[in-house]
Amino acid sequence: MQELDTKAETLLAGVREDYQSGATQLASRTLNELLWYLDDVNPDAETLSRLISELRAARPSMIVIGNALGMVRERWAEAPDRPRQAILDTLRQLENAGMAITRHARSQLPENPVLMTHSASSVVLALFRALADAGEPFSVICTQSSPGFEGHILARALNDLAVPVTLITDAQMGVFVASADVVITGCDTWLTDGYFVNKVGTGPLALAAQAAGKPFWVLADSFRNSDASHNSATLEEMPASELKAPEGHWITPRNVYFETVPQQLVGLRISEQGVFSPPAGPRR
C-alpha cells in the first residue's frame, strides 16, 4: 500500500498528538484541515479514503472525530465527485449541534449561577461564551485538570470574557463543589451500556457533586454516541514522563487520560436533540 504523503502525515500527527483541545474543537479542526488538504493536494480517491480511515482511528477516546469522518464518508459515497461538499455539510451539522446544545443548556440554568467544570470542553466553553455575550451574570469554578492543565486554557478564555473564575487543583474538587449551583462537563464518548468517557477526574467530580447534592450535567451531542461498552472502550494513555515522577526500581508511573463514568451519576444529558434524564437519551 502506498504511503501517505508528508502533508497527510502531518495532519494525522496533529490529531494524534493534540491532548489540549476538546473533542468538538478537535473534530472541527480535523474537518477544516481535511478541507485544506483536499484543496492543496487534490489527492486521488484512494489516498483520501485511506487518510479518512486513519483519522477515524487516530483518537479512539474521542468518538466524535470518528463519527464525523464516518458521516463524511457516507455523504461522499452518495456523491463521489463532491468530497468537499461532504466535509462542509458535516462541519455545518457539527456546528449546528453545538449551538442547539447551548440553547437547551441556557434554558435549564438558574439566575446568576456558579458553574463548576473539569478540563476544557469546547462545548462547555461555547455555553460560557453565549452567557457572557448575552450579558448574563455567572461565575465559574474550574479544576486545572492535571497533568495536561487544560483547565488553564479554560481559565484564560474566561478571563478574556471578563467572567470571574476560580481555578483550583483537581484535589480540591470536594472542597469547592458545595459552592457550585450546577456542575457541568463535556463528554468525549457516550457508550452504549450506560457509561460515558471523559477526561480523568470527571468521575470523582460527579461523585463529589452527588455527595453534595449538586446537579451534574453532561453536554453530549449525538456525534458522541458509540456502540462500544465500558469494558471494550479504549482509554488513551499518555507518556508517563509527563508526570515528572521520581525514579525508582519499584515506582511505576501511569498517565491514563480518560475514564468511564456511569450515567447513574448524571442528572441531565443535554444534546442537540433536547434535555434528557439518563437512562433516557437522544436517538442513537
Side-chain angles (χ1 to χ4, degrees):
M1 183 181 292
Q2 186 178 358
E3 295 294 321
L4 290 174
D5 59 78
T6 302
K7 291 180 179 179
E9 289 288 0
T10 299
L11 194 166
L12 188 57
V15 175
R16 287 173 174 158
E17 297 168 9
D18 185 344
Y19 282 84
Q20 297 291 318
S21 301
T24 298
Q25 181 183 13
L26 188 53
S28 179
R29 183 181 305 155
T30 300
L31 292 174
N32 277 299
E33 290 183 354
L34 190 59
L35 275 176
W36 169 84
Y37 176 77
L38 189 65
D39 293 341
D40 186 59
V41 177
N42 191 27
D44 58 39
E46 181 180 355
T47 299
L48 181 59
S49 179
R50 182 183 169 195
L51 177 56
I52 289 174
S53 294
E54 296 208 21
L55 286 169
R56 289 187 72 183
R59 297 300 304 276
S61 294
M62 291 181 162
I63 193 66
V64 60
I65 300 171
N67 283 344
L69 289 163
M71 189 175 292
V72 168
R73 186 182 290 281
E74 290 174 5
R75 286 173 166 158
W76 181 24
E78 294 170 358
D81 59 336
R82 302 179 67 191
R84 194 174 197 282
Q85 191 61 48
I87 300 170
L88 287 170
D89 289 346
T90 303
L91 257 175
R92 188 176 302 111
Q93 186 169 341
L94 186 63
E95 291 167 356
N96 288 341
M99 290 188 288
I101 285 177
T102 294
R103 289 196 305 272
H104 295 314
R106 286 180 65 185
S107 72
Q108 300 296 311
L109 288 172
E111 292 185 7
N112 196 15
V114 178
L115 306 175
M116 187 169 181
T117 192
H118 178 62
S119 191
S121 163
S122 49
V123 180
V124 173
L125 178 56
L127 170 62
F128 294 163
R129 288 189 188 280
L131 293 171
D133 290 345
E136 298 180 26
F138 71 104
S139 61
V140 175
I141 302 167
C142 75
T143 63
Q144 62 182 10
S145 190
S146 64
F149 300 107
E150 296 91 347
H152 291 191
I153 297 172
L154 178 63
R156 283 194 292 268
L158 289 167
N159 183 70
D160 291 342
L161 293 169
V163 173
V165 55
T166 302
L167 180 66
I168 63 173
T169 62
D170 298 2
Q172 295 178 82
M173 288 177 180
V175 176
F176 279 86
V177 71
S179 301
D181 294 306
V182 182
V183 180
I184 305 178
T185 73
C187 165
D188 292 303
T189 301
W190 196 276
L191 301 167
T192 192
D193 63 342
Y195 289 76
F196 71 96
V197 176
N198 204 46
K199 177 68 186 282
V200 162
T202 303
L205 180 56
L207 287 168
Q210 183 184 65
K214 300 296 180 176
F216 182 82
W217 301 353
V218 178
L219 307 188
D221 57 53
S222 57
F223 277 91
R224 285 157 172 74
N225 290 346
S226 170
D227 291 331
S229 69
H230 76 284
N231 291 319
S232 63
T234 300
L235 302 177
E236 299 173 45
E237 186 165 359
M238 285 289 283
S241 58
E242 191 176 35
L243 301 184
K244 298 180 173 58
E247 294 184 6
H249 180 73
W250 299 103
I251 298 173
T252 305
R254 297 287 304 277
N255 192 16
V256 178
Y257 251 56
F258 298 88
E259 67 178 332
T260 58
V261 182
Q263 68 179 17
Q264 66 209 44
L265 298 176
V266 179
L268 296 178
R269 174 185 176 178
I270 302 178
S271 164
E272 78 276 21
Q273 297 176 20
V275 179
F276 305 89
S277 297
R283 296 183 300 276
R284 297 190 66 84

